[in-house]
Amino acid sequence: VLAALMLAAFTLNTAENLPIGLLELISESLRVSVSAVGLLVTGYGVTVAVASLPLAYVMRAVPRRHVLTGLLAALVVSSLVAALAASYWVLLFARLLTALAQALFWAVMGPVAVGLFTPEVRGRVVGALSIAGSLALVLGVPAGTWLGQQSDWQVPIAILAALGLVSLVTLAVLLPTSRPGEGNAPYGTRPRLHRFG
């Protein structure tokens, strides 16, 4: 399960930043300006920033397995739509759908992951997930950029759909269904409202 969560973190972070390396290819292919393609990254980031808290609040009572599999299904579908996009607006729509999935993913994934392990190893679990997300920038985006330059910009996006599918199937099969608040990590050991604020 941890490996599937790490793969999902890697895939989502790669999806977020991949257009940076493919700006000119996408611009030429869709006949739009490079700055318009840049908005695919900016719009993605703004969507994640604005939607994270409201989505986490709305989904707070839904079992985490259902949330994560739904988010990964959205990643797979949106990546396929993006890979097949023949217009800028379809690509923008697909990117925003992926951004909504990522907005909620990070809010849910951490507690789910640490809740599967004993307190002694939770720090390593969080570290592993952070490394997976960081590897997207040093491995995923450069590899996707190279692949896009060797073939077509849609190819690395389609590969992200395949990676998302692997995570989706793995979590759908192996992740236990638990409601928020159940398990080992729903709350801090000594929560203090004023410090949180």
Side-chain angles (χ1 to χ4, degrees):
V1 172
L2 180 60
L5 289 171
M6 290 174 67
L7 180 60
F10 172 84
T11 304
L12 279 164
N13 277 16
T14 301
E16 177 182 7
N17 296 289
L18 185 59
I20 294 169
L22 304 172
L23 287 174
E24 292 182 2
L25 293 173
I26 296 172
S27 171
E28 291 170 11
S29 173
L30 300 181
R31 295 185 179 93
V32 295
S33 68
V34 172
S35 60
V37 179
L39 288 174
L40 296 174
V41 179
T42 305
Y44 190 110
V46 170
T47 301
V48 170
V50 170
S52 291
L53 286 176
L55 283 176
Y57 181 78
V58 168
M59 302 300 286
R60 70 190 182 281
V62 179
R64 297 314 186 201
R65 178 173 172 255
H66 301 321
V67 173
L68 283 171
T69 54
L71 296 176
L72 291 171
L75 167 66
V76 171
V77 169
S78 62
S79 296
L80 288 174
V81 170
L84 298 171
S87 78
Y88 175 80
W89 297 107
V90 171
L91 181 57
L92 178 62
F93 169 78
R95 293 277 302 160
L96 294 179
L97 179 57
T98 308
L100 288 172
Q102 183 165 350
L104 185 55
F105 175 80
W106 288 103
V108 173
M109 181 267 303
V112 167
V114 298
L116 296 171
F117 295 90
T118 60
E120 297 77 35
V121 296
R122 287 183 186 160
R124 283 180 273 178
V125 169
V126 172
L129 294 170
S130 298
I131 288 170
S134 298
L135 281 176
L137 297 174
V138 296
L139 256 173
V141 174
T145 300
W146 177 85
L147 186 59
Q149 291 169 344
Q150 302 308 309
S151 53
D152 206 352
W153 64 267
Q154 292 99 333
V155 173
I157 296 173
I159 289 174
L160 293 178
L163 295 176
L165 185 60
V166 170
S167 294
L168 169 60
V169 170
T170 304
L171 291 176
V173 171
L174 298 178
L175 187 65
T177 301
S178 61
R179 296 189 89 46
E182 296 176 354
N184 299 324
Y187 302 104
T189 53
R190 283 183 268 164
R192 295 180 184 174
L193 187 58
H194 72 280
R195 290 184 70 187
F196 178 77

